[in-house]
Amino acid sequence: MLEAIADLSGLPVSGGGRNELGARHGPEQTSLLSKVLRPAFGKRPPDGYFLRAEFHAHFSSLLDERAADQDFERDPFTRYGGRSLHAQSHGEAFLSVVLHRMERGLFLLDEPEAALSPRRLLALLARMADLVAEGQTQFIVATHSPILLTHPEAEIFSFDESPPRRVALEDTSHYQITRGILESPERYGRALLAPDADD
């Protein structure tokens, strides 16, 4: 779904901003789903970015290639914290994009928790809250993280069923499983270590 939204919003489906549309830095260039959707924008966002966890290394390499290209006229790292994303840890590189690249517009995040510790997820939540409070930013996030689901203004949709439906935080399986483990880790530990019934 995020691929389709990115495609329809003029963003590369492999991740990045509008400047990367023709870069072909990831394996996917279009979304089949976008061909059958009919979007309606009340107002076109002034900027956008698709942070796609699985192809983030491809995007980081693209920036490095631009830095090495003498014909590329500006510093490609300026909007990403001033240095190569490959020179940072996975989590630091993700946060550099969020903190420096995202200001106003539509931002799509695909499983950002893949690179972030719980502490850094809270930093991401704080940044999102600040940008949303300014009233010129919208986030659409695909996540399994119960931490990200706690955003106070989040509208949560579950894709576990067809059609997708709006749900409360407490009704998500991510919340229920995480809460169960934290409240009773020994119970979950026993279940994981229990011999298989077929043995």
Side-chain angles (χ1 to χ4, degrees):
M1 181 62 79
L2 276 186
E3 281 182 14
I5 295 170
D7 204 4
L8 293 166
S9 301
L11 299 171
V13 299
S14 289
R18 292 179 182 140
N19 289 341
E20 286 72 53
L21 266 175
R24 306 185 71 80
H25 58 284
E28 299 172 7
Q29 305 305 316
T30 188
S31 162
L32 294 177
L33 180 59
S34 70
K35 308 302 181 220
V36 297
L37 297 179
R38 297 292 175 264
F41 290 93
K43 183 179 180 183
R44 285 276 176 182
D47 191 17
Y49 190 90
F50 184 15
L51 180 62
R52 188 164 181 181
E54 63 196 293
F55 299 145
H56 193 63
H58 295 288
F59 179 76
S60 300
S61 295
L62 171 67
L63 294 182
D64 285 353
E65 290 169 14
R66 287 177 173 172
D69 183 354
Q70 295 181 355
D71 294 328
F72 196 77
E73 297 179 357
R74 54 188 193 279
D75 182 355
F77 304 130
T78 300
R79 296 184 79 184
Y80 299 94
R83 63 189 179 120
S84 170
L85 297 178
H86 279 309
Q88 305 172 56
S89 73
H90 199 195
E92 288 171 338
F94 264 53
L95 278 184
S96 284
V97 172
V98 172
L99 296 175
H100 302 287
R101 174 62 180 82
M102 299 181 183
E103 293 178 357
R104 292 187 307 275
L106 174 64
F107 300 105
L108 311 176
L109 309 181
D110 185 20
E111 298 185 350
E113 69 271 16
L116 300 177
S117 67
R119 182 184 299 261
R120 286 187 167 149
L121 281 171
L122 291 174
L124 171 57
L125 264 182
R127 175 67 173 158
M128 291 170 64
D130 288 344
L131 290 171
V132 169
E134 292 174 7
Q136 299 183 61
T137 302
Q138 180 178 12
F139 288 92
I140 302 177
V141 184
T143 185
H144 300 288
S145 168
I147 293 175
L148 289 181
L149 293 174
T150 64
H151 190 287
E153 296 184 46
E155 292 183 49
I156 304 171
F157 290 85
S158 171
F159 284 74
D160 291 340
E161 303 170 11
S162 183
R165 62 186 179 89
R166 191 170 176 177
V167 295
L169 167 66
E170 296 77 12
D171 294 331
T172 65
S173 59
H174 311 312
Y175 175 89
Q176 293 170 359
I177 291 170
T178 302
R179 180 178 179 182
I181 290 172
L182 294 175
E183 287 182 348
S184 184
E186 67 286 345
R187 191 179 111 231
Y188 277 81
R190 283 195 304 270
L192 288 172
L193 299 174
D196 193 357
D198 294 332
D199 290 345

